[in-house]
Amino acid sequence: MSETMDPRVGDWWRSSIIEMKPGVIRYRGYPIEELIGNVSFAQMIWLMTRGELPTEGQGRLLDAALMSAVDHGPQAPSIAIARMAATCGVGLNNAIASAVNVLGDVHGGAGEQAVEMYEAIAARIDGGMPLAEAICAGLDEAIAKYGKFVSGFGHRFHPIDPRAPRLLELVDAAAKAGYVAGRFAAIARGVEDELAARKGGRSIPMNIDGATAVIYAELGFPAPLARGLFCLSRSVGILAHAWEQTGQGGRNKGPMPREYLWTYDGPSQRPVPASHHGV
Amino acid sequence: MSETMDPRVGDWWRSSIIEMKPGVIRYRGYPIEELIGNVSFAQMIWLMTRGELPTEGQGRLLDAALMSAVDHGPQAPSIAIARMAATCGVGLNNAIASAVNVLGDVHGGAGEQAVEMYEAIAARIDGGMPLAEAICAGLDEAIAKYGKFVSGFGHRFHPIDPRAPRLLELVDAAAKAGYVAGRFAAIARGVEDELAARKGGRSIPMNIDGATAVIYAELGFPAPLARGLFCLSRSVGILAHAWEQTGQGGRNKGPMPREYLWTYDGPSQRPVPASHHGV
Amino acid sequence: MSETMDPRVGDWWRSSIIEMKPGVIRYRGYPIEELIGNVSFAQMIWLMTRGELPTEGQGRLLDAALMSAVDHGPQAPSIAIARMAATCGVGLNNAIASAVNVLGDVHGGAGEQAVEMYEAIAARIDGGMPLAEAICAGLDEAIAKYGKFVSGFGHRFHPIDPRAPRLLELVDAAAKAGYVAGRFAAIARGVEDELAARKGGRSIPMNIDGATAVIYAELGFPAPLARGLFCLSRSVGILAHAWEQTGQGGRNKGPMPREYLWTYDGPSQRPVPASHHGV
Amino acid sequence: MSETMDPRVGDWWRSSIIEMKPGVIRYRGYPIEELIGNVSFAQMIWLMTRGELPTEGQGRLLDAALMSAVDHGPQAPSIAIARMAATCGVGLNNAIASAVNVLGDVHGGAGEQAVEMYEAIAARIDGGMPLAEAICAGLDEAIAKYGKFVSGFGHRFHPIDPRAPRLLELVDAAAKAGYVAGRFAAIARGVEDELAARKGGRSIPMNIDGATAVIYAELGFPAPLARGLFCLSRSVGILAHAWEQTGQGGRNKGPMPREYLWTYDGPSQRPVPASHHGV
């Protein structure tokens, strides 16, 4: 149904997400009063971003991906920023904003890049290429585009990221139950094997981004939404840390204690040249 | 357990939310690999912000509050900003940030202010004041602090906000089942009655913020977290609209079609005074 | 002149800052092509926020306030955030946004609070109160409102903030030349004296915020614009640090080296209760 | 001079912008107390981003570029967002942040893209290619990378952007005075000619972004800083509009009057399927 709510504005803003009239709110056609009590937060996230309701199995898998990536501690720039912002006298909404804002290509984009790589491999297979060859080609393409650290694999802190194998178990169970095809789990494991082979057997295991990317790809989310969903997920940790920091009452806390300063490597002291005296 | 991970930094950053060692991630003491598959996204939000896991009934009520407030269309500044940002060539994370950032006192604070009012009324009752009197006093205090439009009641667009009665039904059911006390539902309904009495019988019904505030208060969330939780909830609509707009491909879209400009009410054209010629 | 550019939109957006027609841009009535080459960046900042052009003396004093507060190093949360953001793969505009966003009451509000205090003292003097008494009363009021650390005085790092005396010299020179009245410089010095007297002679000297607040008050800027102007000023340091960090090529740098973690003081490891097994 | 301020942190954060000790602040080696009163805001912006002080002529040209791009009215997403944010109960710093944040590739990147194109043309000339050929090749490359609307040329609202010719006059005067080489002005005019030739004589004149890009290129700023400097410039208009809107007292103003809604083009009303009853 297409309905221009005011003919003067035409389709300047156009949406199929929400329809409103006085007393009426419908998301994707469903009256809000019917959704409330029947649809979970994770299912609502699916409905809003995809247009249809997920099956229960799909909704549970999405839920697991969302709940698994909420936090990685104040060493992560996003969480550190949330805590610093909280000490600067801004609202929780502002602390969340400053923090979510940095979930860009480097800090928040690994899931998106992994979905891209998985899909590119799947497209090659659909085009008739054998699995092993498609994985090699997809991996090479990802490395050419994003550099030698393959998004979704390896972790600078965890030898094995404890979240990844558990999420893969859930994907396997969902595949067995027929909720998802299991295709992207196979591709991701193939990538893991190929990476190990290239490193002479040293494992570079899947991390949280590689594992949630498997889930998002299995569920049919386009790659850029993997970043969007990560933002929703990480917002939870961001909120929790901003709130905890608020309770601790620090004021204007920088990244390190005052006595630990930075290295200055610029010019030694020098006078302002006489030519600059008088603005 | 208190453990300084590096004695040189002492407790510069201190957290009871997350503990990490290589290969180990624990939220509030629970290993992440045990939480995955067992705890929903809404329950995780509770654990992260409150420190303990909710009961199933508590988790479901929180879930309903979160899923009910995800969107109110592009007329809301937050959603409009998300869509505009999407046309400006920034990432989904940036669009979310610019939008969540404006969920301040006016646009995002109604729930927080309603929880505050409910709690102030409850505190008066705890102090021995009769319900009706406590409501009057709490209402007067809220009006004195935030103005005549009482946060959580009345809506400039919806005569009756369809989300509020449905959420209250869920609270009633949860109270009947013993998951919550039902105390704040009674207080909120008392506020509604008092407002109608003051308006000579014209109803100023509870809106989404008043209803989710009942839930947050019943569940024991401190008032500022009501705003934090609203940010998580509205982030979903923000993401959905930013993503939809991205797909529509608009470039640099302002708030209105180009031909609808603003009213200029400043000085008529005038020359720069000679005294300013030459910077 | 008031001109509704489209009668259908009426005065939904109304501005006296800028007027536009095809080929025409006028700020506050002045054609842009006449302003260019005749008006400096600092004078433009004045015109845009105040509505009229400053005299040359006023413009130079504003310029000095703006150029003096651009940076205080990566220990300041705003600068640290800019640098972290730069390592996260977001644009310079995003890095600036995340950083400026935290210039709230605590990190960016001292100038605003100092202007408020100076103005409250001036208002008392205008009402007939003697200077010393007005200073005492204004100081007490500020302490009651914002706490014992008086905004604009004292510094946790610098025994004497080298920027403050130099800025006051410029105010004195401008007062002597008749560009400003010098009233707020006298008030601020009175505050400094009173603070020292209260501390038994231990000086709590004016800092950058107290000194720029003198300038902003002398020039007639309302208190909230003191924060706005500080945001413009600090944006320069924010940009410079984000850009420098970009050149250093760090990826995803947190607030401290990886090996320096935070103190965890939450619960020891514990199993997820059986009641939560199965979402 | 390289000085690790604390050996334990090594060069985790490293900067040549600012050096601090108690009582000492030096930007790029210059003591702040010497800079104050001798160096303008625009010169300080140069010093902070480039490392050295500009000559007076360079500083004046930079100043003109900065002051000329401060505002383009509430039709621009950045300005609209600033005004909306101001109606949502957030601080001026937050309004600036949400607005500056959207100055991405599409809304804020034209200057950067134009500098890139000019530099690519200059590099071809340096490599021995004749001017006309180098312009053609540079133009084709820019179109291939960013699309058919060439950044810096043409305007959807102004047939002739009144800012561009005036800025070019300043560049010409500076070239005549020997402050700049004038090379990029010639390149940009060549691009203008080539574009007109390709359109059968219909002019697609240089706009503000094309003209400020000439200045930034003449002054030796790397392309990404063109965006950074535009953020500083536009922040002025953003602040002015946020402040004006604050004074108008609107609350929670969306992009258009309430009665002008968006076009809904999603599914008609439909019931939530029975399979989703009960979360």
PDB file of all heavy atoms in Angstrom, chain C residues 2 29 33 81 91 93 152-154 251 266:
ATOM      1  N   SER C   2      10.976  40.239   7.095  1.00  0.00           N
ATOM      2  CA  SER C   2      10.518  38.865   7.276  1.00  0.00           C
ATOM      3  C   SER C   2       9.887  38.382   5.984  1.00  0.00           C
ATOM      4  O   SER C   2       9.005  39.022   5.435  1.00  0.00           O
ATOM      5  CB  SER C   2       9.503  38.789   8.419  1.00  0.00           C
ATOM      6  OG  SER C   2       9.028  37.475   8.529  1.00  0.00           O
ATOM      7  N   GLY C  29      22.220  39.935   6.557  1.00  0.00           N
ATOM      8  CA  GLY C  29      22.003  41.055   5.641  1.00  0.00           C
ATOM      9  C   GLY C  29      23.198  41.386   4.763  1.00  0.00           C
ATOM     10  O   GLY C  29      23.050  42.060   3.741  1.00  0.00           O
ATOM     11  N   GLU C  33      29.740  37.948  -0.786  1.00  0.00           N
ATOM     12  CA  GLU C  33      30.878  38.354  -1.623  1.00  0.00           C
ATOM     13  C   GLU C  33      31.502  39.648  -1.099  1.00  0.00           C
ATOM     14  O   GLU C  33      32.661  39.945  -1.399  1.00  0.00           O
ATOM     15  CB  GLU C  33      30.473  38.463  -3.099  1.00  0.00           C
ATOM     16  CG  GLU C  33      29.451  39.522  -3.415  1.00  0.00           C
ATOM     17  CD  GLU C  33      28.005  39.018  -3.247  1.00  0.00           C
ATOM     18  OE1 GLU C  33      27.800  37.990  -2.543  1.00  0.00           O
ATOM     19  OE2 GLU C  33      27.092  39.661  -3.793  1.00  0.00           O
ATOM     20  N   ILE C  81      39.840  11.009  22.915  1.00  0.00           N
ATOM     21  CA  ILE C  81      38.766  10.404  22.119  1.00  0.00           C
ATOM     22  C   ILE C  81      39.020  10.650  20.636  1.00  0.00           C
ATOM     23  O   ILE C  81      38.835   9.758  19.799  1.00  0.00           O
ATOM     24  CB  ILE C  81      37.398  10.958  22.572  1.00  0.00           C
ATOM     25  CG1 ILE C  81      37.037  10.364  23.939  1.00  0.00           C
ATOM     26  CG2 ILE C  81      36.317  10.655  21.539  1.00  0.00           C
ATOM     27  CD1 ILE C  81      35.790  10.949  24.574  1.00  0.00           C
ATOM     28  N   GLY C  91      35.932   8.830   9.724  1.00  0.00           N
ATOM     29  CA  GLY C  91      36.415  10.050   9.092  1.00  0.00           C
ATOM     30  C   GLY C  91      36.793  11.126  10.100  1.00  0.00           C
ATOM     31  O   GLY C  91      36.434  11.045  11.278  1.00  0.00           O
ATOM     32  N   ASN C  93      35.582  14.050  10.278  1.00  0.00           N
ATOM     33  CA  ASN C  93      34.348  14.640  10.792  1.00  0.00           C
ATOM     34  C   ASN C  93      33.791  13.815  11.946  1.00  0.00           C
ATOM     35  O   ASN C  93      33.307  14.371  12.942  1.00  0.00           O
ATOM     36  CB  ASN C  93      33.301  14.775   9.671  1.00  0.00           C
ATOM     37  CG  ASN C  93      33.052  13.471   8.924  1.00  0.00           C
ATOM     38  OD1 ASN C  93      34.005  12.813   8.479  1.00  0.00           O
ATOM     39  ND2 ASN C  93      31.798  13.075   8.783  1.00  0.00           N
ATOM     40  N   GLY C 152      36.864  28.033  36.564  1.00  0.00           N
ATOM     41  CA  GLY C 152      37.655  29.160  36.087  1.00  0.00           C
ATOM     42  C   GLY C 152      38.845  29.477  36.972  1.00  0.00           C
ATOM     43  O   GLY C 152      39.670  30.326  36.612  1.00  0.00           O
ATOM     44  N   PHE C 153      38.960  28.784  38.114  1.00  0.00           N
ATOM     45  CA  PHE C 153      40.048  29.088  39.059  1.00  0.00           C
ATOM     46  C   PHE C 153      40.694  27.801  39.543  1.00  0.00           C
ATOM     47  O   PHE C 153      40.015  26.846  39.892  1.00  0.00           O
ATOM     48  CB  PHE C 153      39.505  29.909  40.233  1.00  0.00           C
ATOM     49  CG  PHE C 153      39.013  31.245  39.785  1.00  0.00           C
ATOM     50  CD1 PHE C 153      37.722  31.384  39.269  1.00  0.00           C
ATOM     51  CD2 PHE C 153      39.863  32.347  39.784  1.00  0.00           C
ATOM     52  CE1 PHE C 153      37.276  32.611  38.794  1.00  0.00           C
ATOM     53  CE2 PHE C 153      39.423  33.573  39.309  1.00  0.00           C
ATOM     54  CZ  PHE C 153      38.126  33.705  38.816  1.00  0.00           C
ATOM     55  N   GLY C 154      42.031  27.805  39.564  1.00  0.00           N
ATOM     56  CA  GLY C 154      42.771  26.624  39.988  1.00  0.00           C
ATOM     57  C   GLY C 154      42.924  25.645  38.842  1.00  0.00           C
ATOM     58  O   GLY C 154      42.135  25.648  37.887  1.00  0.00           O
ATOM     59  N   ARG C 251      45.948   1.115  14.890  1.00  0.00           N
ATOM     60  CA  ARG C 251      44.633   0.538  14.613  1.00  0.00           C
ATOM     61  C   ARG C 251      43.950   0.228  15.916  1.00  0.00           C
ATOM     62  O   ARG C 251      44.498  -0.484  16.754  1.00  0.00           O
ATOM     63  CB  ARG C 251      44.792  -0.755  13.815  1.00  0.00           C
ATOM     64  CG  ARG C 251      44.982  -0.546  12.310  1.00  0.00           C
ATOM     65  CD  ARG C 251      45.308  -1.853  11.637  1.00  0.00           C
ATOM     66  NE  ARG C 251      44.198  -2.793  11.720  1.00  0.00           N
ATOM     67  CZ  ARG C 251      43.211  -2.877  10.820  1.00  0.00           C
ATOM     68  NH1 ARG C 251      43.203  -2.088   9.776  1.00  0.00           N
ATOM     69  NH2 ARG C 251      42.232  -3.753  10.971  1.00  0.00           N
ATOM     70  N   GLY C 266      34.237  -7.308  40.339  1.00  0.00           N
ATOM     71  CA  GLY C 266      32.906  -7.922  40.366  1.00  0.00           C
ATOM     72  C   GLY C 266      32.964  -9.319  40.945  1.00  0.00           C
ATOM     73  O   GLY C 266      33.973  -9.720  41.534  1.00  0.00           O
TER      74      GLY C 266
END
